[in-house]
Each structure stands twice: as structure tokens, then as C-alpha cells.
Amino acid sequence: MRVATSQFYDSTIAAMGRQHAELVRLQQQITSGKRLQTAAEDPIAMGRLLRGREADVQNDAFAANRVAASDRLRFTELALSNLTNVIQRGKEVALGARKASLSDEERQAYLSEVQSQYEELLTIANRVDGQGVALFGGQRATAPYALQPVVPPPVPPSTAPANVVNYLGNGTVPKVDVGNGQMMATGVTGEDAFGPETPSATQQSVFRTYEAIISALTPPITDAASRAALQGQLDGLITNFDNNYQTALNMHVLVGTRQAQLDTLDSSGEAHGDQLKAMLLELESVDAASALSQFTQLKTALEASQQTFVAMRGLSLFNYL
């Protein structure tokens, strides 16, 4: 009989201990607002929760990458728009200077205009993004274009420029992960937009085109022969301006296409993020009303068990758990 009574007491105390532990767990849920406190409570749910948190952090990182890429592409798009505008004005000068009635005063005015455009081009080519990083330098963060002396220098009566603009960047554009395993280039190189440093049969740097038209417009017009010589040079340069314009326009379209891709990825990424956050909320959050109801019921049951136990033992005071 003593053994049975002892076993009863032990089992009753153990049961009340479990009730007390459950009360503590419910109280922690109510206080923190979180359903899971430790992995031991529900290993499967905790595993889903941890994986969901990791996916949510990664999705937010992709979103941040898209914002950074979009900002840089917007700076690039504006620069390319300015570039095409300058090239159009350069072609207009070439067409205007080609007229048969061109006076020497007009030649000087056109020369001054293309020299100003040349300087403007250099400014555009060395533009930076919001972080101060060169837009067209490839992996080079600082100014990718520089005005440098020609070696060996031209000898009079040559009208070739003594200084030319050279590209100091490289052909590699930084890429970032914008989601769905897609690595996107955040810009274009200088040679992509302004033309290659080494001329080809159909293309050359827009700076070489401008240096050529400046050289062509430098000698004064003294007679019909000098005017005809200028017209001949301008004919070829008009084609170069067209090629330079098309190159810049192609890059403008490419950058716009990337912007559209980012918009699409933003929409899908936002939807995915909403799904992840809803799942995390379901896994993490506790139903406060339900938890409070369980807590009240369990507390009442525990108090009743304690009172019954005290009465059965005939004690005047019970050391509550």
C-alpha cells in the first residue's frame, strides 16, 4: 500500500510538473508573440522557419541589388541620351559645313561649335553614378577617358590635334545577381557606347570622329580648292557620325531593355517576398486568443490538481511548483 501511495504521489507531481512546464511555454508564447521558442518544440516547423528566413533574407538582397542596378542604369541611360544628342548636333555641323557657299567666318563658327561638343563628350564619357563610380569604365571606378598628348606630336603643316581622348577603362562590366539566378550587367563599357579605340572598316570611336572634323575645319577656306577638300573630308565624317549614333542608340536600347527586365523581376520578387513573409508569419506567430484560452484552462486545472493533492496528503501548506 505504501508503494502504491508513493507511486501515486510521484506520478501526480510529475503530471503537475508537465502542466507547469506547458504553462511556462504558453506564457512565453503570449509574451513574445512567437509560437516556436526552441527547435525541440517542433523540429519540422522550426526547420521550415529557418529555411524560410534564409530565403526571405536572400530575396531582400536580390531586391537591394535590383535597386542598385536600376539606379546605375538610369544614370547610364541619361548619359547615353545626352551622347546621342551631341552626335546628332555634330552631324548637323558636318552637313552645314559642307555647303558650297561656306564662308571662312562660318567655318570658324562651326569649328568652335564642334570643339565645344568635343569637350561635352569627354564630360559625358567620364560621368559617375550615385556612388561616384564611373559609368563607362568597366571595372575601372575612376575617369575612364583622358585627354593625352599624341606621340610623336604632329608636325606642321599638319592640322591633326596634338592631344586626343583615349580610353583607360576595360571591357568588363560589373554584374550583380538580380534574382532567379540571373546575373545582370549594370552598365556598358566606354567602347560599347563611344566606339572602339581601334578603328574598324565600319566603326571608330566618336572621339576620333570629332578629332577628324576639328582637324578638317581648322585650315582656313581660301579658295574653291580648299572648300572642295573640306567637303570631301566631311562626306566620310557624316558616315562616321551615323555609325557613332547607331552605336550609342543600340546601347541606349540595351539599357532600356535591362530596366524593363528589372521591373519584371521586381514584380515577381515582391510577390515571392509576400508569400515568404506570409509563411513566416504563420509559422512564427501565435494565436494570442487561443494561447490565452489554453493558458487559463491549464492554470485552472493545475490549481485544482494542486489543491486536490494537498487535501489528499492532509497538508496545511503545499510548496507550489
Side-chain angles (χ1 to χ4, degrees), residues 105-182:
E105 290 75 14
E106 289 174 317
R107 174 198 63 79
Q108 293 179 44
Y110 282 134
L111 175 60
S112 177
E113 186 172 348
V114 291
Q115 286 173 331
S116 176
Q117 292 173 11
Y118 183 64
E119 294 173 0
E120 186 177 353
L121 278 179
L122 182 57
T123 299
I124 294 171
N126 284 331
R127 280 193 190 167
V128 298
D129 61 17
Q131 305 302 314
V133 177
L135 293 175
F136 300 107
Q139 295 289 346
R140 181 185 173 94
T142 56
Y145 282 93
L147 190 63
Q148 298 177 325
V150 175
V151 180
V155 178
S158 171
T159 59
N163 298 285
V164 296
V165 172
N166 290 319
Y167 186 54
L168 308 179
N170 59 45
T172 304
V173 179
K175 294 182 178 181
V176 296
D177 193 339
V178 292
N180 293 338
Q182 182 173 347

Side-chain angles (χ1 to χ4, degrees), residues 46 58 70 103-104 106 110 138 202 204 219 246 256 262 274 312:
M46 182 60 80
Q58 188 178 56
S70 181
S103 68
D104 197 57
E106 289 174 317
Y110 282 134
T202 59
Q204 68 177 14
Q246 191 60 52
L262 287 176
D274 289 342
M312 290 181 64

Side-chain angles (χ1 to χ4, degrees), residues 186-215:
T186 58
V188 297
T189 69
E191 290 194 311
D192 288 336
F194 294 82
E197 285 291 286
T198 303
S200 66
T202 59
Q203 184 60 283
Q204 68 177 14
S205 167
V206 67
F207 289 105
R208 300 292 90 83
T209 300
Y210 267 88
E211 287 154 6
I213 195 172
I214 289 171
S215 177

Side-chain angles (χ1 to χ4, degrees), residues 15 25 32 35 38 51 55 69 74 80 83 95 120 193 196 201 232 236 241 254 263 292 319:
R25 188 184 70 82
S32 67
R35 186 171 70 87
T38 65
R51 289 191 297 272
R74 274 196 293 270
L80 290 170
L83 171 60
L95 290 170
E120 186 177 353
F241 275 117
L254 176 63
D263 290 341
L292 186 59
N319 185 18

Side-chain angles (χ1 to χ4, degrees), residues 22-292:
E22 181 64 12
L23 271 179
V24 171
R25 188 184 70 82
L26 287 170
Q27 188 172 36
Q28 288 176 337
Q29 285 186 346
I30 294 168
T31 302
S32 67
K34 296 184 181 297
R35 186 171 70 87
L36 296 176
Q37 305 298 320
T38 65
E41 294 174 357
D42 190 337
I44 294 177
M46 182 60 80
R48 289 183 60 203
L49 178 62
L50 294 176
R51 289 191 297 272
R53 285 174 179 170
E54 182 179 357
D56 190 45
V57 169
Q58 188 178 56
N59 191 61
D60 287 345
F62 290 150
N65 285 349
R66 289 194 295 272
V67 169
S70 181
D71 287 346
R72 185 171 169 82
L73 288 173
R74 274 196 293 270
F75 278 103
T76 303
E77 191 170 22
L78 177 59
L80 290 170
S81 178
N82 296 152
L83 171 60
T84 54
N85 288 338
V86 172
I87 295 172
Q88 282 180 314
R89 286 157 44 206
K91 180 181 177 181
E92 290 169 3
V93 168
L95 290 170
R98 193 187 175 284
K99 66 181 181 179
S101 60
L102 181 73
S103 68
D104 197 57
E105 290 75 14
E106 289 174 317
R107 174 198 63 79
Q108 293 179 44
Y110 282 134
L111 175 60
S112 177
E113 186 172 348
V114 291
Q115 286 173 331
S116 176
Q117 292 173 11
Y118 183 64
E119 294 173 0
E120 186 177 353
L121 278 179
L122 182 57
T123 299
I124 294 171
N126 284 331
R127 280 193 190 167
V128 298
D129 61 17
Q131 305 302 314
V133 177
L135 293 175
F136 300 107
Q139 295 289 346
R140 181 185 173 94
T142 56
Y145 282 93
L147 190 63
Q148 298 177 325
V150 175
V151 180
V155 178
S158 171
T159 59
N163 298 285
V164 296
V165 172
N166 290 319
Y167 186 54
L168 308 179
N170 59 45
T172 304
V173 179
K175 294 182 178 181
V176 296
D177 193 339
V178 292
N180 293 338
Q182 182 173 347
M183 300 296 293
M184 179 176 287
T186 58
V188 297
T189 69
E191 290 194 311
D192 288 336
F194 294 82
E197 285 291 286
T198 303
S200 66
T202 59
Q203 184 60 283
Q204 68 177 14
S205 167
V206 67
F207 289 105
R208 300 292 90 83
T209 300
Y210 267 88
E211 287 154 6
I213 195 172
I214 289 171
S215 177
L217 288 169
T218 296
I221 295 176
T222 56
D223 51 28
S226 60
R227 185 177 291 107
L230 174 59
Q231 290 173 344
Q233 294 178 73
L234 292 176
D235 285 341
L237 290 174
I238 289 170
T239 300
N240 288 344
F241 275 117
D242 286 337
N243 291 337
N244 292 141
Y245 178 84
Q246 191 60 52
T247 296
L249 184 62
N250 289 343
M251 291 302 101
H252 199 172
V253 171
L254 176 63
V255 168
T257 300
R258 289 176 184 165
Q259 285 279 28
Q261 291 173 338
L262 287 176
D263 290 341
T264 300
L265 287 170
D266 270 338
S267 297
S268 60
E270 185 176 351
H272 183 51
D274 289 342
Q275 292 173 351
L276 286 171
K277 286 176 173 57
M279 181 192 74
L280 291 174
L281 184 63
E282 181 181 351
L283 289 171
E284 284 185 306
S285 299
V286 65
D287 184 337
S290 175
L292 186 59

